[in-house]
Amino acid sequence: MTHTHVSAVEDDEPELLRDQFRQLLRYRTVIGAGVGIGLLGGVWFGLSNADTYVATSQVVLRAPVNDPFNPSISQDKTLNMGSERQTALSSSVAEQAARKLGWTGTIGKLQKDLQVTNPPQSQVLQFTYTADTPQAAADRANAVTRAYLELREKQWTDVRATMLEGQQKQLDEVAKKHDQKTKELDRMPDGAARDAEYGVKTNLLNRINELDARISQLKSLDMSPGTVIRTASAPGYSDGPGLPMSLGLGALVGVALGLLAAWVRLVFDPSPRSAGDVARAVRAPVLGTLPRGATDVLLADDHTDARVAEEYRSVAFRLAYDQRFADRRRLLVVAPRGDNDAAVAVASHLAASFAETGKDVLLIEADLRTPTLAGRLRAHAASAPRWSTPTDVKGSEESGWPSRRQLTVDAGESGSFRLVPGERVRNVARALTAPRVSRLISEADSPNSTVVVLAPPVLNYADALALVDRVDGVLIVCDPRSVHRADLQRIRELIAGAGGTVLGAVVHTRGRRSGAQRSTGRRGAGDRGRRTAQGPADTEEFAAEPEQIILGDGSDTVALRQLRAQDPRPGDIHAGDR
C-alpha cells in the first residue's frame, strides 16, 4: 500500500523526466519484447558471421612517367582515384580474375563479396574480399588485385602503342619529305632559290629529330600501373564479432528498441499511467492510492488487511486538513463512468473514518436510479418504526425522496453514522433539485457535522452536477486503467462550470473478486435490477424500499408497513415483504 499525494502544481523538468521514466517501466512487456527481438537479432548476426573470413591486399598506384624522381610531377594530379576505384570494381577486372581462379559461378556473385576502398590523401587501393573459408578469401583478393594491375598495365600499354603508331606515321611522312627535298637540292644550282629550299630541308630535319625524341621517350616509359604493398593472406580468425559480443550488442539494441516502443505506447496511451497524470488531469492532488481489492467491501472492518483501513483514514485526514473542505464539511463522491461500486466503497469508508474521529456523519445516497447502499450496509432504523413516522401533509412534494426516515449504519470499531438511502423516483432531476435536499445537505452547517453525498457516475448521468452547487467539494474515484485523461479533464470542466471544486482524487485498482461480486452481489435486487436495464420503460416504475435491511433493534415489524403512492406495484418482492 502506498500513500501518494501528488501536487497539482507544475513540477520541475527533472521530476517530470523521472516520472516519465517510471511510466515507461510500466510497459515491461513491450520493453521485454524489444530485448527479445534484439537478442534474437544478435544470435542471428553472430551465427551468420561465424564462418565469415576477410582477406585484404593493398596496391600503390602510379602513372607512367619518364623520370619517377622528378619532384615537379604530381601523382595525385595524374591519377583520378575515384576512376581507379570504379575500374577495380568493374566487370572487366572480375572476368579476368574469374579466369585466373577457374570460377564457375556468375560474375555478379564474385563481385558481391568484393570491396575496394581508397584511404584519404593517398594513392592506395585496398582490396577486401569476404569468403566462407580463409584460403578462398586470400586467393580471391590476390586474384582480383593481379587482374586489376594487369588490366591497368594493358590499358597503359595500349595507349602507348597507339601514340607510338601515330608518332611513327608522322616521322615516316616527314622523313619522306626530307629525302625528296634532299634530292631536289642536289639538282638545283647555287643561288637564292637553293638557299631557300635548304632552309625548308633544315626544318624538316628538326621535325624528324623532334619525332625521334618523342618516340624514344614513349618507348622508355615504365608501364607498371602500381606496386603491391600488401599481399592477402589467409586470416586466422573469422571476421564476425562472435556470439557473446553479438548477444551484448543485440541486448543493447533491444533495450533501445523496447524503450522507443514503450515511449510511443506511452505517448498514444489515453489512460493516465500514474498518480501524477491523474493530478494533472483534474488539477487537484491525489489524496490516496488504494491497494488492490480495497473497494471490494464497503466497511473497513470487513477487510482482513488492516492497511486498507489506514489508507482510508489517511484520505479522510487529508480532507479534514483541507481548508476548502473544513469550512463547510460537505463532500460529493463521484466516479467517472461505468459502474459505481468503487465510489460506493470510498463513500462508505470515508463516512466511517469521519465517524471514527467523533464527527456526526450523514451519508446520503443520491443514486436514485439503482439504489443499493442500504441493502449492502449493516443498516437499521434509527429510532421509531417507519410505519409510526407521520406522513407530512404539506403536499406531494414532501412525500418523495428524501423521506424523513433515516437509517443507522454500524461501522464496528469506527462507530456509526446515519444513512439516507436512495429510492427510485419518477423524476430524478426534480428530486435532486428539491428544496428539502438542500435542507438535508445543510446539516453540515451544524457544529461537528459532516455530510457525504454519493452520486452516480458523472459522465453517465448529470445527477452529480445538480448537487455540485450545494456540496461544493468533489472527490473523484477512478481506476487509471479504465479511464482516459480526457474523461478526467471533462469531469473537472463540468464540475467547475457547475460552481464546484475538485478537492482531489482517489486512485484504486480493481480487485479480482469485483467481477464476481457484481454478478452475484445484487441477486437480492430481483426484478428491480432487470427493470433498470430495460431502458425507457422504467419511467413508469415506482420507488422501492431498499432490498435488504438488517434488523436488529426490534423497532421494525414485519406485519405493519407504511405504504406511499410511490411504492412498487404488486408482485415486486422486497426485503420488507418477507
Side-chain angles (χ1 to χ4, degrees), residues 306-336:
R307 294 177 300 172
V308 174
E310 292 301 323
E311 180 66 24
Y312 280 112
R313 291 190 185 100
S314 66
V315 175
F317 275 112
R318 288 166 186 166
L319 284 171
Y321 284 102
D322 192 331
Q323 191 63 35
R324 296 171 298 176
F325 173 76
D327 289 341
R328 304 189 66 180
R329 299 181 306 282
R330 300 172 183 176
L331 181 66
L332 178 62
V333 181
V334 295

Side-chain angles (χ1 to χ4, degrees), residues 19-232:
D19 183 58
Q20 188 177 37
F21 184 75
R22 285 192 296 266
Q23 294 179 41
L24 287 178
L25 295 181
R26 293 178 179 268
Y27 299 100
R28 296 182 180 89
T29 303
V30 177
I31 297 176
V35 173
I37 294 174
L39 290 176
L40 291 177
V43 171
W44 173 82
F45 184 75
L47 294 179
S48 61
N49 291 276
D51 298 329
T52 301
Y53 298 89
V54 176
T56 303
S57 63
Q58 291 181 339
V59 177
V60 176
L61 302 183
R62 57 181 297 272
V65 293
N66 292 326
D67 184 6
F69 302 102
N70 186 357
S72 62
I73 299 176
S74 178
Q75 291 288 338
D76 58 343
K77 295 181 179 179
T78 306
L79 295 173
N80 188 332
M81 297 307 296
S83 299
E84 297 296 332
R85 178 177 176 274
Q86 294 299 322
T87 302
L89 291 172
S90 65
S91 59
S92 300
V93 174
E95 290 174 358
Q96 190 166 348
R99 287 193 294 269
K100 292 179 178 295
L101 293 170
W103 183 262
T104 58
T106 61
I107 300 300
K109 187 176 181 180
L110 180 63
Q111 291 178 297
K112 177 182 177 183
D113 298 322
L114 173 66
Q115 289 184 351
V116 180
T117 57
N118 169 230
Q121 305 298 324
S122 70
Q123 284 76 47
V124 176
L125 283 184
Q126 179 172 294
F127 295 81
T128 303
Y129 202 92
T130 304
D132 296 336
T133 60
Q135 192 60 43
D139 292 343
R140 294 171 188 176
N142 290 326
V144 173
T145 302
R146 290 194 301 270
Y148 167 74
L149 291 177
E150 292 175 0
L151 177 64
R152 292 303 292 156
E153 184 174 3
K154 181 178 181 301
Q155 290 176 345
W156 285 117
T157 302
D158 292 344
V159 171
R160 183 181 66 173
T162 302
M163 293 179 66
L164 284 173
E165 182 181 359
Q167 296 289 340
Q168 187 65 43
K169 184 177 180 180
Q170 293 183 27
L171 178 62
D172 293 341
E173 293 178 356
V174 174
K176 184 178 180 180
K177 291 181 180 180
H178 180 268
D179 292 341
Q180 292 178 354
K181 188 62 66 177
T182 301
K183 292 178 180 180
E184 292 178 359
L185 288 174
D186 292 342
R187 294 192 299 267
M188 294 180 65
D190 295 336
R194 189 174 186 277
D195 293 339
E197 293 296 330
Y198 189 80
V200 173
K201 177 184 175 182
T202 303
N203 293 335
L204 291 175
L205 182 60
N206 292 335
R207 179 62 177 168
I208 291 173
N209 293 333
E210 181 182 353
L211 291 174
D212 282 336
R214 290 183 180 180
I215 292 174
S216 299
Q217 186 179 7
L218 287 175
K219 290 181 178 180
S220 65
L221 288 177
D222 182 7
M223 303 308 296
S224 174
T227 305
V228 178
I229 60 175
R230 178 180 177 180
T231 303

Side-chain angles (χ1 to χ4, degrees), residues 20 32 34 48 108 132 143 151 194 207 260 293 347 353 410 415 418 433 447 460 462 478 492 526:
Q20 188 177 37
S48 61
D132 296 336
L151 177 64
R194 189 174 186 277
R207 179 62 177 168
L260 177 62
S353 299
D410 181 11
R418 292 177 296 154
T433 56
N460 286 0
C478 66
R492 174 183 55 80

Side-chain angles (χ1 to χ4, degrees), residues 54 71 80 93 173 186 266 279 320 364 396 437 464 485 513 550 572:
V54 176
N80 188 332
V93 174
E173 293 178 356
D186 292 342
L266 176 65
I364 302 175
S396 60
V437 176
R485 287 188 293 267
R513 297 187 304 162
I550 300 178
D572 289 348

